[in-house]
Amino acid sequence: MTRAARAVGHELMLHMPMEPLSAKENPGPNAIVTGLDPVELRRRADAMLDSFSGYVGANNHMGSKFTQDAAGMRIVLEDLEARG
């Protein structure tokens, strides 16, 4: 599917589930959430980033709480940067 999208000129974004502000909202299984130790956070980010290839960037799903966590975001952004 990604190959077909790229073949017709589409750019793909990876949608990454992250922790929302409201604890009532469920971002889904293995979401990136605050309070994870760096090893688990990187494991989850890597699993998402490895889930398919050909994307040109990533965005968050619900991640209004997690994106406020500078230390956690640094890990995710370093991982993205390392992948180009």
Side-chain angles (χ1 to χ4, degrees):
M1 177 72 98
T2 60
R3 197 170 305 154
R6 295 298 302 261
V8 295
H10 294 289
E11 290 187 332
L12 305 171
M13 297 286 291
L14 175 65
H15 200 58
M16 300 178 75
M18 296 180 177
E19 184 178 10
L21 283 175
S22 172
K24 294 178 185 179
E25 299 293 327
N26 181 357
N30 295 309
I32 296 173
V33 296
T34 57
L36 293 174
D37 67 78
V39 172
E40 177 62 13
L41 190 142
R42 188 165 279 113
R43 186 199 68 75
R44 290 184 188 196
D46 283 342
M48 289 178 206
L49 295 169
D50 290 341
S51 65
F52 75 97
S53 62
Y55 52 86
V56 298
N59 62 355
N60 76 69
H61 172 69
M62 294 188 170
S64 52
K65 181 173 181 180
F66 183 80
T67 57
Q68 294 177 32
D69 177 20
M73 282 301 298
R74 187 172 300 108
I75 291 170
V76 173
L77 293 173
E78 286 172 354
D79 204 352
L80 281 166
E81 182 179 37
R83 294 163 182 262

